[in-house]
Amino acid sequence: METGGSLVQAIRKPTLTPKAIIHQKFGSKASYTVEEVEEPTQNGCPGLAILQKGPCLYRCSLELPDFTVVSGSFKKKKDAEQSAAQIALEKLGINLSSDNPTAEEAWRELIARVKYIFSNEFLSALHPLSSHFKAALRRVGDLNASVPASVIAICDGKLNNLCKIINPTVESHPLLVLSYIMRAAAGLPELVVSAEGQLSIWRKDPYPPNVIESSISQQSDVAESITTMAIYIPCSPEKAVEPVILKISSTGYYLDVIGQILGLSDANLILISRTIGKASSETRFYFAAPKSYPLDMSSDLLNAKVVPFGGPLNAKASSLCGQDIYGDSILASIGYTWKGQDIFHEDVTLQSYYRMLISKIPSGVYKLSREAILAAELPLTFTTKTNWKGSFPREILSSFCRQYRLLEPVFCVSSIPLKASSELSRSNNKPEVSESAEQEREYANENESVDVDPKLVVLGSSFTCEVKIYSKCQDLILECAPNVLYKKQNDAVQSASLKVLSWLNAYLKDIYTSLEKEKQLANVFDIKFYRQIFFKEVVKCLSVCNCQHNETLGGKEPELNGVVENDASYINIEGADSGLCPSNGSLLCVCYSVSLVTKGELQKELLESIEEFEFEMGTGAVIPCLEAVVSQMSVGQSACFYTELPPEDLVLAAAKDLANALAFLTSQPPEDRMEQALFNPPLSKQRVEYAVQHIKEFCATSLVDFGCGSGSLLESLLEYPTSLETIAGVDISQKSLSRAAKVLHSKLVMKSDFDAPCRSIKSAILFDGSITDFDSRLCGFDLATCLEVFRTNPFSEPLHAKTLVIEHMEEEQASLFGDIVLSSFRPRILIVSTPNYEYNVVLQKSNLTSHEDDPEEKIQSQSCKFRNHDHKFEWTREQFQHWASELAVRHKYRVEFSGVGGAVDLEPGFASQIAVFRRVFLPEDDDGLKDENSVCQYKVIWEWNRSRPPLTN
């Protein structure tokens, strides 16, 4: 028999609860007192003298100014309080269904709320928003006492609820709240000031001194400054997510600090997202509004519209937040809470960012619950409660709904009597099932969102469960109705939840599959979903979430010593065969570790390890290749195997040392990161400025970058006003060249302002080729560069004679490169930089044995590693100068030596040593260049000319 009647109630809750209405009308004058009560219970045995303890129940007494009411007995305190409030409302003659405020009433209450927020009384109140007001009083200059409207919008729940009554679309467009707040402030000219087009409000008259002193005295003494870590998420998909440090002084306002990082002089223009993760979390996105934010200030309350933002959408941040985020953004966990007047803050690290990202997928939530991100996988079947490890399917499904701001899932359980279930089981080749009716009644009582009437549960019943998921607007998104019987109600609920989760995992891996495959997938999991609503509520938020895509970073191809999704290779099983082998259904306990290794195991980085990890064989509870390897082992044996790189987000979420993992996955080694920390500006920028200096000095109109990689140097040069008219790049990595083309295109084509620094550039071209091969099209350029930071990824192509940038070559290849460039390409100026090996002792200072040794002796004796494991060599100053001097003599060039990072007269010299070759001008040189035979060994990858559209091959 299927139960019903509560589905509509489950999703159509009143806007305000009875307790909320009582608070709205009586405030602190309403007093609730909850007490525990005991009620007689049936012991099931007449005449038994032993006292039987009944369930723990609660009763609530609500005292109002004119009368007091008492609720019935309930298993939960909150239910007793709501019941008392309901009784009081009935006594007052207030009907919930008819007395919710209208839009006009809510608007009047909204104005009254804004008025109260700016009152003297509110400044001393224990409220997160009042702490913002106190911090605003410490702001300096024109910002003193001004409060960002976005802060009011996110800190005051009552304002938000009133806005939702006025206009229900606020739920989907939270920035609409700003329009209503600013409109309400405009209606209070005698109390507050708000400039048109601005996003801040301040009191017309200052607070009285005694009110300010009273509010400040409530705050505890704090340290001079607060330091917390946040994440900077650039809008450009080409730029990497980076950690930033927020330093807030005791007299400062944290929004001003965030505003500085975002490049804002007025932090009132910061917009703040909804919370990320738990409702109690203070983790939010902060991003900049346009200087004149488009607010809908029309008089039509009900039909206020979302005005187009006008800025670029930040896809990374939007996918994580589930709300549109524009421009560059900061992800931080900081703010004021109900717990006290002092600022709350928690570090948001890169690892926590990637963990948030993978939690957008059901399998990611399960992986995190098991702390086995690379090894665990969401099981395909729910067998028994005891064998299941990690978060249960129902919990994960509820978490998924909260992530996407959907209503809690609704479970409709059908109870089938023994006889009917037996017949149905036989017809479906299912075993007969039975279970204690008392246990099922207890489960139904404990799980209120499961729609089943305990009175209908009889001894020997079996169960099926249907799951439905609704949007906040109460639109049905999907439903799952498996035709499977379970002897336990809990098993039915968990199995149905798992069906939905498995479908979500499969569907979200390929959201743009064909309609035929989409239908087949839905049939496999007994799913019926409403595509348009599902895309609007779920898929839109995941359009750029890439944790399901098996991509590598930077083109590198490391291998994993451990566990991932693809087939295992090079399996090596050690130990004697005990004869005890695992079988499907058995519960195993294994110890494992996963490491990231480069080809040939030149380097190895531990990502994840667990001493005791339990899982059930045959349920898909681990990555397939791990289960396949374990199935070949017996108890007591160990195994080692290799497989391909898993999705990058999983690697970074699991990594024990994120910096080293990033060094493996990107072309930037740990030493480069150390350089960025030690040098200001970073060495990369110093090298760019060095090149710009020579461009201006020699009025160079053409430049070629040998080993341009992804175009970092060429892109950076476009930010400086120079005499350059033609730029070119050559590299062997088509993947890097493709990125370079996109970057240069966006700079040259999109930025067409007449005062843009890159306006002087008339043409640009990118070639696929090796700098040890000659191509006459690059002959005779004014200036050529070969700088070590702007190199191609050495793992994107085989390491042979075509490898770019000298430290990645064998030494004889570096000499060949110098000969070809100076003898055949013949640029007027050639700038070559390479790491100074002697400086490595500074970068690797943790290896120093003593701080008291003589620096010169220490440099002589200290054996340092190369800055990058794929460097073939790194030269000392003497070796570099010998190489460059011989080249200059052979090819009629003069050479000068310099560098960046460090000083020429201090040991150990520059961190990056630079040689500048200048061609000795002879009249016959130009004739030779003009008569050079046309040799075209390079392939044009991308070409742009200001006078014609770009050409791509």
Side-chain angles (χ1 to χ4, degrees):
M1 180 182 297
E2 183 174 356
T3 62
S6 63
L7 176 59
V8 174
Q9 296 173 8
I11 64 171
R12 297 188 180 275
K13 297 180 180 179
T15 305
L16 295 176
T17 64
K19 190 176 178 182
I21 296 176
I22 289 293
H23 178 76
Q24 198 177 67
K25 294 185 176 294
F26 295 97
S28 59
K29 296 178 182 178
S31 175
Y32 294 86
T33 303
V34 178
E35 59 179 353
E36 189 173 337
V37 296
E38 292 185 5
E39 293 196 355
T41 182
Q42 298 285 340
N43 58 34
C45 182
L48 182 63
I50 301 175
L51 182 64
Q52 301 293 299
K53 186 177 180 180
C56 182
L57 301 175
Y58 298 94
R59 184 182 297 141
C60 178
S61 172
L62 171 58
E63 183 179 352
L64 297 176
D66 297 328
F67 60 87
T68 300
V69 297
V70 179
S71 73
S73 299
F74 293 87
K75 296 182 70 174
K76 295 184 177 181
K77 293 180 181 180
K78 65 178 183 179
D79 292 342
E81 292 175 341
Q82 293 290 359
S83 175
Q86 176 68 48
I87 295 171
L89 290 176
E90 291 173 357
K91 197 166 183 178
L92 291 167
I94 298 174
N95 190 304
L96 269 181
S97 60
S98 61
D99 284 82
N100 284 333
T102 63
E104 288 73 17
E105 291 171 339
W107 172 244
R108 289 193 292 270
E109 289 185 32
L110 179 64
I111 296 176
R113 181 64 182 173
V114 173
K115 185 175 182 180
Y116 168 68
I117 285 173
F118 282 89
S119 66
N120 294 341
E121 178 186 355
F122 183 77
L123 189 65
S124 301
L126 183 60
H127 192 289
L129 188 53
S130 69
S131 298
H132 280 275
F133 277 57
K134 295 165 194 171
L137 292 174
R138 300 193 295 268
R139 303 176 83 179
V140 296
D142 295 337
L143 297 178
N144 180 257
S146 65
V147 181
S150 57
V151 164
I152 301 174
I154 60 127
C155 286
D156 195 77
K158 293 181 180 179
L159 279 176
N160 273 275
N161 289 334
L162 290 169
C163 289
K164 290 174 185 177
I165 295 172
I166 296 170
N167 188 348
T169 61
V170 166
E171 183 68 48
S172 303
H173 305 286
L175 294 181
L176 266 179
V177 176
L178 295 176
S179 295
Y180 287 113
I181 291 174
M182 298 303 295
R183 201 183 305 181
L188 297 167
E190 73 287 350
L191 178 64
V192 298
V193 178
S194 59
E196 184 177 352
Q198 297 298 311
L199 288 174
S200 57
I201 308 173
W202 58 96
R203 273 176 56 118
K204 187 174 183 180
D205 299 320
Y207 290 100
N210 63 316
V211 174
I212 296 176
E213 290 176 7
S214 174
S215 64
I216 293 177
S217 65
Q218 297 174 2
Q219 293 179 295
S220 63
D221 295 333
V222 295
E224 290 187 0
S225 64
I226 292 172
T227 301
T228 188
M229 186 175 290
I231 300 298
Y232 179 79
I233 303 179
C235 181
S236 170
E238 301 294 329
K239 295 182 179 179
V241 175
E242 297 178 346
V244 293
I245 301 296
L246 305 181
K247 293 184 178 179
I248 303 103
S249 68
S250 59
T251 58
Y253 187 28
Y254 75 88
L255 280 181
D256 290 331
V257 176
I258 293 176
Q260 291 175 2
I261 298 175
L262 292 174
L264 295 174
S265 58
D266 181 3
N268 291 330
L269 290 174
I270 290 178
L271 300 180
I272 309 174
S273 76
R274 297 179 290 204
T275 56
I276 311 297
K278 297 180 181 178
S280 59
S281 167
E282 285 300 315
T283 306
R284 302 174 186 271
F285 281 101
Y286 299 81
F287 56 107
K291 291 183 179 180
S292 181
Y293 184 69
L295 294 172
D296 183 358
M297 301 294 285
S298 64
S299 59
D300 187 356
L301 293 176
L302 294 177
N303 297 311
K305 298 177 181 178
V306 181
V307 182
F309 197 93
L313 184 70
N314 189 323
K316 296 176 185 176
S318 300
S319 68
L320 184 56
C321 181
Q323 171 186 342
D324 288 346
I325 307 294
Y326 296 89
D328 296 342
S329 65
I330 299 290
L331 176 63
S333 182
I334 189 169
Y336 297 100
T337 69
W338 289 94
K339 296 179 181 179
Q341 299 283 319
D342 298 331
I343 193 168
F344 164 86
H345 62 95
E346 283 183 333
D347 286 343
V348 179
T349 63
L350 269 177
Q351 186 177 61
S352 59
Y353 163 76
Y354 285 109
R355 291 191 170 211
M356 289 180 203
L357 200 59
I358 68 172
S359 69
K360 298 292 287 185
I361 305 292
S363 62
V365 178
Y366 180 78
K367 289 171 179 288
L368 291 170
S369 74
R370 298 227 58 192
E371 281 297 323
I373 295 172
L374 297 176
E377 187 57 276
L378 182 69
L380 299 174
T381 59
F382 183 88
T383 53
T384 65
K385 186 175 181 180
T386 54
N387 280 5
W388 184 274
K389 306 299 175 183
S391 296
F392 285 97
R394 183 185 170 191
E395 297 171 19
I396 298 173
L397 185 58
S398 295
S399 173
F400 180 87
C401 291
R402 288 190 292 270
Q403 282 260 14
Y404 292 88
R405 303 190 183 276
L406 309 174
L407 292 178
E408 287 289 314
V410 177
F411 300 89
C412 303
V413 177
S414 300
S415 174
I416 302 175
L418 178 62
K419 182 178 180 181
S421 66
S422 299
E423 293 175 355
L424 184 59
S425 297
R426 283 193 293 270
S427 65
N428 291 327
N429 296 321
K430 301 283 185 182
E432 292 189 11
V433 291
S434 63
E435 183 53 47
S436 166
E438 186 62 35
Q439 290 181 359
E440 297 307 329
R441 292 190 188 97
E442 181 180 346
Y443 178 81
N445 288 334
E446 293 175 354
N447 297 272
E448 296 176 342
S449 66
V450 178
D451 182 19
V452 63
D453 187 351
K455 297 178 182 179
L456 298 178
V457 180
V458 297
L459 184 65
S461 295
S462 55
F463 302 90
T464 63
C465 178
E466 180 183 19
V467 184
K468 294 184 179 181
I469 297 178
Y470 294 82
S471 70
K472 286 284 188 180
C473 298
Q474 301 178 1
D475 295 319
L476 182 60
I477 295 176
L478 67 83
E479 51 190 325
C480 176
N483 187 24
V484 182
L485 295 175
Y486 297 90
K487 67 177 182 179
K488 294 182 180 180
Q489 180 175 314
N490 178 48
D491 291 353
V493 172
Q494 300 292 357
S495 296
S497 300
L498 186 56
K499 281 260 187 181
V500 176
L501 295 173
S502 299
W503 176 80
L504 286 168
N505 271 337
Y507 188 83
L508 295 176
K509 283 184 179 180
D510 187 11
I511 56 179
Y512 300 109
T513 186
S514 66
L515 291 176
E516 182 180 355
K517 290 183 178 179
E518 188 178 277
K519 185 176 180 180
Q520 291 175 352
L521 186 64
N523 290 337
V524 168
F525 292 101
D526 301 313
I527 295 289
K528 180 181 180 181
F529 79 107
Y530 301 88
R531 198 172 190 273
Q532 187 174 358
I533 302 172
F534 182 78
F535 263 70
K536 175 186 174 183
E537 300 290 340
V538 178
V539 175
K540 178 185 175 183
C541 300
L542 274 175
S543 58
V544 296
C545 188
N546 62 353
C547 61
Q548 292 293 336
H549 300 307
N550 194 9
E551 299 176 349
T552 61
L553 281 166
K556 209 168 187 177
E557 298 176 358
E559 298 174 359
L560 251 179
N561 179 7
V563 186
V564 294
E565 298 177 339
N566 299 305
D567 293 336
S569 60
Y570 308 109
I571 302 173
N572 179 27
I573 298 178
E574 297 181 348
D577 187 351
S578 64
L580 299 175
C581 299
S583 59
N584 287 347
S586 58
L587 190 63
L588 301 184
C589 182
V590 299
C591 166
Y592 77 88
S593 66
V594 184
S595 295
L596 194 65
V597 299
T598 56
K599 290 181 177 179
E601 295 196 36
L602 296 175
Q603 279 194 324
K604 185 175 181 179
E605 179 64 30
L606 179 65
L607 295 177
E608 179 178 284
S609 63
I610 295 181
E611 290 295 326
E612 294 183 356
F613 179 75
E614 290 186 323
F615 68 96
E616 184 178 358
M617 282 287 289
T619 61
V622 292
I623 298 297
C625 62
L626 174 60
E627 188 162 6
V629 171
V630 171
S631 66
Q632 303 174 44
M633 301 168 60
S634 63
V635 175
Q637 288 185 319
S638 62
C640 176
F641 62 93
Y642 297 86
T643 186
E644 295 180 3
L645 185 69
E648 63 191 48
D649 294 341
L650 296 182
V651 173
L652 297 175
K656 293 183 178 294
D657 189 324
L658 194 63
N660 284 343
L662 279 168
F664 267 84
L665 296 175
T666 67
S667 59
Q668 185 182 38
E671 287 74 14
D672 283 1
R673 298 178 183 278
M674 194 179 299
E675 286 180 6
Q676 291 183 1
L678 290 176
F679 300 103
N680 185 21
L683 288 182
S684 58
K685 187 173 182 180
Q686 292 187 45
R687 280 184 280 263
V688 173
E689 292 174 347
Y690 191 93
V692 170
Q693 175 187 340
H694 283 76
I695 292 170
K696 292 181 176 180
E697 180 181 347
F698 294 98
C699 299
T701 60
S702 57
L703 177 143
V704 56
D705 184 24
F706 292 113
C708 65
S710 57
S712 302
L713 173 61
L714 298 176
E715 177 193 9
S716 300
L717 288 176
L718 297 181
E719 300 294 336
Y720 295 84
T722 66
S723 54
L724 288 177
E725 297 178 359
T726 300
I727 57 174
V730 57
D731 203 283
I732 58 170
S733 170
Q734 290 194 4
K735 185 174 182 180
S736 295
L737 288 168
S738 176
R739 292 172 182 162
K742 293 175 184 177
V743 170
L744 295 178
H745 177 82
S746 65
K747 293 278 186 179
L748 294 168
V749 178
M750 304 304 179
K751 292 189 177 182
S752 57
D753 300 338
F754 285 98
D755 57 349
C758 62
R759 188 65 188 175
S760 65
I761 303 296
K762 296 179 180 179
S763 63
I765 189 167
L766 296 175
F767 291 102
D768 175 17
S770 168
I771 57 175
T772 55
D773 293 332
F774 175 69
D775 191 299
S776 57
R777 288 171 290 184
L778 292 180
C779 198
F781 272 60
D782 286 343
L783 194 144
T785 56
C786 184
L787 307 182
E788 83 261 22
V789 165
F790 305 98
R791 59 181 176 267
T792 188
N793 189 320
F795 281 85
S796 61
E797 299 288 342
L799 290 172
H800 51 57
K802 290 188 177 181
T803 302
L804 303 185
V805 238
I806 62 174
E807 63 269 15
H808 293 278
M809 306 175 182
E810 299 295 344
E811 291 192 57
E812 59 270 19
Q813 294 296 325
S815 297
L816 176 61
F817 154 72
D819 286 331
I820 290 177
V821 172
L822 298 183
S823 67
S824 300
F825 289 108
R826 303 283 287 163
R828 286 175 57 199
I829 306 292
L830 170 66
I831 302 175
V832 178
S833 76
T834 190
N836 174 12
Y837 177 73
E838 296 168 88
Y839 206 91
N840 291 0
V841 70
V842 178
L843 296 176
Q844 300 164 17
K845 57 186 176 181
S846 59
N847 292 335
L848 298 180
T849 56
S850 172
H851 293 281
E852 300 177 356
D853 297 338
D854 180 75
E856 292 191 9
E857 291 182 4
K858 184 163 54 183
I859 292 168
Q860 297 278 339
S861 61
Q862 184 70 37
S863 177
C864 295
K865 298 183 296 183
F866 288 168
R867 298 190 194 179
N868 195 351
H869 67 273
D870 62 289
H871 284 184
K872 298 298 182 181
F873 64 87
E874 288 182 4
W875 280 329
T876 64
R877 286 167 289 176
E878 181 181 353
Q879 291 170 322
F880 180 57
Q881 291 173 14
H882 176 74
W883 171 80
S885 298
E886 285 194 344
L887 279 176
V889 171
R890 284 200 302 269
H891 302 293
K892 299 177 184 178
Y893 275 77
R894 291 195 305 268
V895 64
E896 299 171 359
F897 298 98
S898 182
V900 294
V904 67
D905 54 348
L906 293 177
E907 290 297 328
F910 293 106
S912 283
Q913 49 189 340
I914 297 177
V916 179
F917 298 85
R918 304 171 192 265
R919 181 157 57 92
V920 177
F921 181 78
L922 296 173
E924 60 269 22
D925 289 344
D926 283 342
D927 293 336
L929 291 174
K930 291 176 183 176
D931 296 338
E932 188 76 50
N933 293 329
S934 176
V935 179
C936 299
Q937 298 196 62
Y938 295 164
K939 176 184 178 183
V940 176
I941 292 296
W942 173 82
E943 186 175 7
W944 175 85
N945 192 297
R946 192 170 294 279
S947 62
R948 65 177 185 270
L951 173 67
T952 57
N953 289 336

